[in-house]
């Protein structure tokens, strides 16, 4: 839990374009729970009829104890007196995960539980806690790298990219789809979209699950860096350097025909064809690299429409 709180502020520092900080979103989520869930008659209190909204079981005992032990850290992300409810909410996610694994179905946590669930699952398998944070930062770091390279000129487009990208917490449905279906139809739509995205992200999930040793994590980080590098080049955020052979080819053509002294007549076509030919292709060998690349390219295109 202490690692999760630290991750919250790491995410805050990585946010760009005026995005609401993750810590503020968690505080807002707690406030929503208090106003719309815990205080709603026949809802939370009917399932968990305790004075503090925390279960009377081993998970609840853990939540209350953790809230006391981590009181100072929780004050940064939970409203006063709400630490144990936040702890219980996260613990409940662990319970749901255990139930889903037991019967062989998918459990998709909401964003507040997501990083905690990932941290817990990996730590349970014996992964070093620093590796957990590094892995989460690696994927998020793709967005941060693009934002840094884009600068102020593309700041709004990078912000839109994040909103378009489910992998970074972006939406899975359009605004004009909201309010057009019955509750049952809407639930069905959401479940289908989540399941569809889980399938698309299966290669990345598998790559993470297969990490066991430090070498595995280093290889994964190296492969993610390869995605970053190609994205920067293909999206035009970093100039693509010509190889020695390409420079020689341009020089050879330039010696045959020139529009002006020292200026190859075909240079614009050459560079344009080179960029165009590689703009939406990816040479990575790993399936999860291609998934990451496609997701970011698609979101970038949608953000520029």
């Amino acid at each position: 839990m202490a690692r999760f709180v630290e991750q919250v502020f790491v995410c805050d520092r990585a946010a760009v374009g005026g995005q609401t900080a993750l810590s503020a979103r968690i505080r807002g989520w707690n406030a929503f729970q208090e106003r719309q869930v815990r205080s709603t008659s026949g809802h939370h209190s009917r399932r968990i009829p305790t004075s503090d909204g925390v279960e009377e079981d081993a998970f609840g005992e853990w939540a209350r104890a953790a809230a006391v032990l981590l009181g100072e850290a929780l004050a940064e992300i939970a409203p006063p007196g709400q630490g144990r409810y936040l702890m219980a909410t996260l613990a409940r996610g662990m319970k749901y995960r255990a139930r889903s694994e037991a019967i062989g179905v998918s459990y998709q946590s909401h964003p507040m539980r997501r990083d905690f669930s990932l941290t817990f699952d990996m730590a349970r398998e014996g992964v070093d806690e620093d590796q957990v944070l590094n892995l989460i930062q690696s994927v998020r770091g793709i967005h941060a790298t693009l934002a840094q390279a884009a600068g102020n000129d593309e700041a709004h487009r990078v912000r839109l990219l994040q909103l378009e990208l489910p992998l970074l917490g972006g939406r899975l449905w359009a605004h004009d789809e909201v309010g057009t279906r019955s509750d049952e139809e809407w639930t069905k739509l959401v479940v289908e979209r989540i399941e569809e995205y889980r399938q698309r992200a299966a290669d990345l999930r598998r790559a993470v699950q297969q990490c066991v040793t430090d070498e595995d994590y280093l290889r994964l980080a190296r492969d993610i860096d390869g995605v970053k590098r190609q994205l920067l080049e293909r999206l035009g955020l970093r100039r693509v350097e010509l190889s020695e052979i390409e420079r020689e080819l341009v020089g050879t053509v330039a010696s045959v025909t020139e529009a002006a002294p020292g200026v190859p007549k075909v240079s614009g076509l050459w560079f344009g064809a080179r960029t165009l030919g590689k703009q939406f292709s990816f040479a990575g060998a790993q399936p999860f690299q291609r998934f990451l690349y496609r997701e970011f390219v698609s979101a970038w295109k949608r953000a520029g429409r």
Side-chain angles (χ1 to χ4, degrees):
M1 184 60 213
R3 173 60 68 181
F4 172 72
V5 174
E6 180 181 337
Q7 287 173 194
V8 167
F9 292 102
V10 169
C11 295
D12 284 356
R13 291 191 292 271
V16 296
Q19 177 191 5
T20 303
L22 182 57
S23 56
R25 291 169 61 192
I26 291 178
R27 285 192 295 271
W29 186 88
N30 274 279
F32 168 80
Q33 289 284 313
E34 178 64 22
R35 293 191 312 269
Q36 304 292 339
V37 178
R38 292 179 59 192
S39 59
T40 300
S41 177
H43 187 48
H44 184 80
S45 59
R46 187 173 182 177
R47 295 188 297 120
I48 307 174
T50 58
S51 59
D52 59 1
V54 178
E55 295 93 329
E56 292 290 357
D57 59 14
F59 284 94
E61 292 175 9
W62 176 87
R64 294 184 180 92
V68 174
L69 184 64
L70 298 171
E72 184 175 345
L74 290 177
E76 299 291 332
I77 61 172
Q82 297 298 314
R84 58 189 171 184
Y85 185 70
L86 173 60
M87 293 292 91
T89 301
L90 296 174
R92 205 170 297 124
M94 294 158 60
K95 185 188 299 185
Y96 296 159
R97 173 62 61 84
R99 288 176 176 174
S100 69
E101 290 178 351
I103 61 175
V105 299
S106 297
Y107 165 61
Q108 181 69 34
S109 60
H110 57 62
M112 202 192 78
R113 286 189 180 123
R114 181 180 54 211
D115 286 352
F116 178 74
S117 180
L118 175 61
T119 301
F120 175 80
D121 283 349
M122 296 178 70
R124 183 177 61 177
E125 298 297 328
V127 178
D128 180 84
E129 61 182 19
D130 288 330
Q131 294 284 19
V132 176
L133 181 57
N134 289 342
L135 178 59
I136 292 173
Q137 284 181 277
S138 291
V139 176
R140 284 208 178 91
I142 299 175
H143 171 250
T145 299
L146 296 182
Q148 184 178 9
N152 292 332
D153 292 342
E154 294 278 13
H156 289 93
R157 189 173 186 182
V158 173
R159 177 74 181 98
L160 285 169
L161 177 147
Q162 180 156 348
L163 294 174
E164 291 280 358
L165 199 65
L167 193 65
L168 296 181
R171 56 180 173 264
L172 282 169
W173 44 82
H175 290 302
D176 57 10
E177 292 179 301
V178 179
T180 61
R181 293 169 171 79
S182 66
D183 289 348
E184 183 177 350
E185 291 173 334
W186 179 250
T187 301
K188 185 174 184 293
L189 172 71
V190 171
V191 170
E192 287 175 349
R193 295 281 173 85
I194 290 174
E195 180 62 23
E196 178 189 7
Y197 199 78
R198 286 176 66 91
Q199 293 300 321
R200 284 165 54 191
D203 291 324
L204 177 60
R205 295 165 65 88
R206 193 175 302 112
V208 172
Q209 292 170 351
Q210 290 174 347
C211 285
V212 177
T213 67
D214 287 347
E215 182 181 1
D216 295 331
Y217 283 97
L218 285 173
R219 290 183 185 280
L220 185 63
R222 177 204 61 189
D223 291 342
I224 291 176
D225 282 341
V227 176
K228 291 182 188 178
R229 183 174 59 254
Q230 293 208 32
L231 281 169
L232 288 172
E233 295 174 354
R234 307 296 194 267
L235 299 181
L237 299 177
R238 185 172 68 191
R239 183 173 178 176
V240 181
E241 296 295 331
L242 293 180
S243 69
E244 184 176 345
I245 293 176
E246 287 172 326
R247 284 196 298 271
E248 183 179 342
L249 285 171
V250 172
T252 301
V253 175
S255 66
V256 175
T257 175
E258 296 181 349
V263 181
K265 190 174 183 179
V266 297
S267 61
L269 294 174
W270 170 264
F271 288 114
R274 181 179 188 273
T275 303
L276 221 79
K278 293 187 176 182
Q279 189 171 9
F280 300 123
S281 63
F282 182 73
Q286 299 298 327
F288 83 85
Q289 288 180 292
R290 292 192 287 274
F291 162 73
L292 286 172
Y293 180 80
R294 285 194 302 267
E295 290 297 292
F296 275 87
V297 167
S298 297
W300 181 260
K301 291 169 67 177
R302 292 195 301 272
R305 62 172 177 254

